[in-house]
Amino acid sequence: MMKVDLHCHSNVSDGVLAPAAVAAYARKGGVDVWALTDHDEVKGIGAGRAAAAQQGMRFVAGVEISVTWANETVHVVGLQIDENNAALVQGLAATRNGRDARGREIARQLEQAGIPNAYEGAVKYVGNPDLLSRTHFARYLCEIGMCASTSEVFRKYLTEGKPGYVPHRWATLADAVGWIRGAGGIPVIAHPGRYPFDRTAEGALFDEFIGLGGKTIEVVTGSHTPDQYATYAEIARRYGFMASRGTDFHAPGEARVEFDKLPPLPAGLTPVWHDWF
Ligand code: AMP
Ligand code: MN
Ligand code: MN
Ligand code: MN
């Protein structure tokens, strides 16, 4: 069976490998159809496409856009985008804007919590100066021994109510979906199980997404637990959503699930790629 992975990060956002190295790693994990979906940035797509061709994988141009919805951060993946679309490129640039100032404020809070020089420490991990991410702070806090894993960092720092949490306003859902669709792409609600919504708020998110032309959610993702694969398979059936699948790979050994271990989509779902080839 064709192995499809439609959610991955390179060092163009908060992954550690260059796009070509992600392609090679995905191929080693048995991937046949691969999307590069860096946060708020399409600058790796050219290299990703070339590397995929070299590896003998089909390539899907993608992006993962940061959205603020109901005062929470929601991620919307765009698949099969034209990465040169002007409105998309401009919208992503506007969305990236403010990450550096946020990073300085994160560092200021960490300093007050007794962790100095976090800005400089995080920047060492950055591959794209426009894309300073909380993940880079997390890697630095691991480096200096504050925490044993990035997930421990996110439990103790950088999240609501913890030192280093700086609220940030990203794109609107309407803008993100509009940019993706305007660039010929398919919008996908990324890892719906990761948001702090109850079923009512989650339903409102899905309804608004459908109203904007959204038809797809991620079901099997490295950012879901196996229980959530089943939960969101059921929700996809109920709403009539197509289903997407991807590791949400950031770094070897850092993911919950490696490329060769992520299960296929549960039965009875329409894969988002059903009519692509
Ligand atoms: P940012 O866009 O700078 O707010 O960073 C968001 C990124 O942080 C996500 O894309 C994940 O890669 C990472 N992240 C967020 N929450 C967690 C978590 N609980 N554990 C590990 N990584 C996380
Ligand atoms: Mn990330
Ligand atoms: Mn995400
Ligand atoms: Mn992601």
Side-chain angles (χ1 to χ4, degrees), residues 7 9 39 64 248 250:
H7 190 148
H9 299 276
H39 296 286
E64 180 177 19
D248 205 354
H250 285 73

Side-chain angles (χ1 to χ4, degrees), residues 7 9 13-15 39 64 75 133 135 139 194 248-250:
H7 190 148
H9 299 276
S13 63
D14 60 348
H39 296 286
E64 180 177 19
H75 287 170
S133 162
T135 311
R139 295 207 178 103
R194 228 174 72 179
D248 205 354
F249 172 82
H250 285 73

Side-chain angles (χ1 to χ4, degrees), residues 7 9 14 39-40 64 66 73 75 99 102 106 131-139 150-155 158-159 168 170 191 194 223 248 250 254:
H7 190 148
H9 299 276
D14 60 348
H39 296 286
D40 306 323
E64 180 177 19
S66 309
T73 298
H75 287 170
R99 277 187 177 270
R102 179 182 74 143
I106 290 173
L131 225 119
L132 176 58
S133 162
R134 283 184 294 162
T135 311
H136 300 118
F137 284 91
R139 295 207 178 103
T150 53
S151 54
E152 186 187 341
V153 176
F154 280 93
R155 274 198 307 280
L158 310 179
T159 45
H168 195 72
W170 304 105
H191 42 64
R194 228 174 72 179
S223 290
D248 205 354
H250 285 73
E254 201 180 272

Side-chain angles (χ1 to χ4, degrees), residues 30 33-34 70 81 106 110 126 133 184 199 216 276:
V33 180
W34 172 63
I81 51 165
I106 290 173
L110 290 175
V126 166
S133 162
R199 283 281 169 264
T216 311
W276 286 1

Side-chain angles (χ1 to χ4, degrees), residues 113-129:
I115 305 168
N117 304 320
Y119 179 85
E120 294 72 18
V123 162
K124 282 190 309 178
Y125 289 93
V126 166
N128 172 1

Side-chain angles (χ1 to χ4, degrees), residues 1-13:
M1 203 169 81
M2 190 172 65
K3 194 188 284 239
V4 181
D5 197 297
L6 300 176
H7 190 148
C8 289
H9 299 276
S10 75
N11 64 359
V12 160
S13 63

